[in-house]
Amino acid sequence: MLWNWYTVDSCFISSTWHITSKGKFAGSCIGVICLVVVLETLRRMQREYDRFLIKQAQAHADRIHSSTRENGSDFERSPVIEANQGLKDQGNHVSIIRKSSSPMSSKGTTLAAPLQYKPTIVQQAVRALIHMLQFAVAYFIMLLAMYYNGYIIICIIIGAFLGFFLCSWEGIRIVNA
């Protein structure tokens, strides 16, 4: 393959994607831009779904922590708590692991012990499905780039810009040191 700037009579991916007019080529360029935006949307979906799972697990851990304190038991002594209360209706199973010794900060204050969360099989299947879609779309975009058509590569770059601009516009956390 050689670098090219062909518009009419170009062929991409299969013989059915044969460009016979400038209008079809313009439509293909718009389609490529949209495809890259879809890829960035899938990446955002993955982040949002992971955040949802973490918030759900954190809320469940907080409920367990408060109920163990009310019952007089020591939450810190129990290294592994298998928790399926409250989330049982959704078929979720949360494993919360809290280390027995709390780490110390540089200022000498005790930090909260870290929690570890493992998704259920259904939650992991959803995560894998989103990843598979990301992989398939990214591979398809790579195949389009391998045609070395300058216009298509420019459209991929434009789509990456627009997709990131639209899908990654979120707050940035600033942590005081």
Side-chain angles (χ1 to χ4, degrees), residues 87-156:
L87 298 178
K88 197 172 189 177
D89 297 337
Q90 299 172 7
N92 294 334
H93 181 63
V94 180
S95 296
I96 302 164
I97 301 169
R98 195 176 277 266
K99 294 183 179 175
S100 59
S101 61
S102 296
M104 300 293 279
S105 74
S106 60
K107 296 181 181 179
T109 58
T110 303
L111 299 174
L115 294 176
Q116 184 180 26
Y117 171 70
K118 184 176 182 180
T120 65
I121 193 163
V122 173
Q123 292 168 338
Q124 186 63 19
V126 171
R127 292 177 78 225
L129 176 69
I130 295 170
H131 177 75
M132 178 193 68
L133 292 172
Q134 281 180 359
F135 189 84
V137 171
Y139 191 76
F140 195 77
I141 292 167
M142 185 270 313
L143 287 174
L144 287 169
M146 295 306 293
Y147 280 91
Y148 297 106
N149 185 299
Y151 296 112
I152 295 297
I153 291 175
I154 289 170
C155 290
I156 290 171

Side-chain angles (χ1 to χ4, degrees), residues 19 21-28:
I19 308 300
S21 69
K22 289 184 179 186
K24 281 186 177 181
F25 190 76
S28 293

Side-chain angles (χ1 to χ4, degrees), residues 1-168:
M1 290 270 167
L2 298 174
W3 185 265
N4 67 79
W5 293 95
Y6 302 133
T7 53
V8 179
D9 207 29
S10 297
C11 190
F12 298 103
I13 307 294
S14 72
S15 60
T16 57
W17 192 352
H18 188 111
I19 308 300
T20 57
S21 69
K22 289 184 179 186
K24 281 186 177 181
F25 190 76
S28 293
C29 287
I30 292 169
V32 168
I33 291 170
C34 292
L35 187 65
V36 180
V37 170
V38 165
L39 177 61
E40 291 297 329
T41 304
L42 286 168
R43 288 179 178 161
R44 175 67 183 257
M45 282 176 54
Q46 182 73 55
R47 288 192 309 269
E48 292 297 326
Y49 187 66
D50 286 346
R51 285 181 189 146
F52 167 75
L53 293 178
I54 290 168
K55 283 181 184 178
Q56 188 180 33
Q58 184 64 48
H60 189 62
D62 291 344
R63 283 195 304 271
I64 290 172
H65 186 90
S66 65
S67 70
T68 55
R69 279 195 176 167
E70 290 170 5
N71 296 337
S73 62
D74 189 2
F75 183 69
E76 294 298 330
R77 279 191 199 157
S78 175
V80 178
I81 297 175
E82 297 293 340
N84 55 8
Q85 312 160 343
L87 298 178
K88 197 172 189 177
D89 297 337
Q90 299 172 7
N92 294 334
H93 181 63
V94 180
S95 296
I96 302 164
I97 301 169
R98 195 176 277 266
K99 294 183 179 175
S100 59
S101 61
S102 296
M104 300 293 279
S105 74
S106 60
K107 296 181 181 179
T109 58
T110 303
L111 299 174
L115 294 176
Q116 184 180 26
Y117 171 70
K118 184 176 182 180
T120 65
I121 193 163
V122 173
Q123 292 168 338
Q124 186 63 19
V126 171
R127 292 177 78 225
L129 176 69
I130 295 170
H131 177 75
M132 178 193 68
L133 292 172
Q134 281 180 359
F135 189 84
V137 171
Y139 191 76
F140 195 77
I141 292 167
M142 185 270 313
L143 287 174
L144 287 169
M146 295 306 293
Y147 280 91
Y148 297 106
N149 185 299
Y151 296 112
I152 295 297
I153 291 175
I154 289 170
C155 290
I156 290 171
I157 293 168
I158 291 169
F161 171 80
L162 290 175
F164 187 84
F165 182 81
L166 296 172
C167 298
S168 294

